[in-house]
Amino acid sequence: LLHRTAALRRPQFFASARWPGYTVLNTTLQSTKSGGPLAGAWAVVNSIGDAGYLELTGKALGAVDEIVAGIERIEALRIVVRPDSTLIAVATDGSCDVFTIVDAMSRVGWHVQPQLSFNGTPPSFHLSVSAATADHVEEFLEELEKAVAGAVETGPVHVAPEIVELVRSLDPADLTEEDFDGLLAGLGLGGDPSAVDSEGASVGGAPLGLPEAMAPINALLDLASPTLREALLTAFLDRLLRPTRL
């Protein structure tokens, strides 16, 4: 589906930050459940049968128990709630920064999902465990312990006061290109408020820079209301996916 302008495409994007999990952000008409993965899941389940499915489930749940036990041995971390399935949510005791831990894990090849604070619930991260994780639990816990130690040493992410003031002044119902460009410029991600099209309308800065570390971005988003988080992330996706004429 092609759109003549970014403004016409914007309503296609979906964002929801109004829950204690990670911000849901989808850009496509099919959301996250396209036909390919569904067909693949159907084929796998029919291939391995009930016995194979139960075996994989047992491995995954066993890995969950091992990871939970390992996390409980790391002093700075706590399990948000005992998992009934294969999702584990983890918070800190305040001695270190969740977002710094997430970045450190990403650098060594482990993807854990940051989750922003919500309704008094502090920030956390979650991981999705599968049967494939079972053979790497010890490696994961070793890297997590190193990441936590590094986060304790460096301390929490600092957001410049002027950026905090800018974020708190933004109205999610009326977020303009100029507002977003100013925020990007303040974060060092590009953005040029003077960029306009042939008719004088703001088109936003280009190219959009991507950060090496996401901790400062997540710390900033954590300051915003859920509604503003949705508006900012939708604006970021819109800018990121705009074609650039070279």
Side-chain angles (χ1 to χ4, degrees), residues 89-164:
V90 184
T92 75
D93 63 1
S95 64
C96 56
D97 187 270
V98 165
F99 307 129
T100 303
I101 294 171
V102 169
D103 277 353
M105 293 298 285
S106 295
R107 286 194 293 269
V108 292
W110 287 99
H111 177 68
V112 292
Q113 180 81 47
Q115 301 183 142
L116 305 175
S117 59
F118 181 78
N119 263 5
T121 302
S124 62
F125 65 83
H126 96 251
L127 53 145
S128 303
V129 180
S130 70
T133 314
D135 296 332
H136 304 281
V137 169
E138 185 176 344
E139 174 191 347
F140 171 80
L141 291 172
E142 287 177 359
E143 295 296 346
L144 180 59
E145 194 165 3
K146 293 177 188 175
V148 171
V152 170
E153 183 178 349
T154 59
V157 175
H158 174 72
V159 181
E162 59 270 21
I163 299 298
V164 174

Side-chain angles (χ1 to χ4, degrees), residues 38 144-145 167 178 197 206 231-233 237 244:
L38 289 175
L144 180 59
E145 194 165 3
V167 168
E178 290 80 3
D197 62 19
L232 291 173
L233 288 169
L237 272 181
T244 301

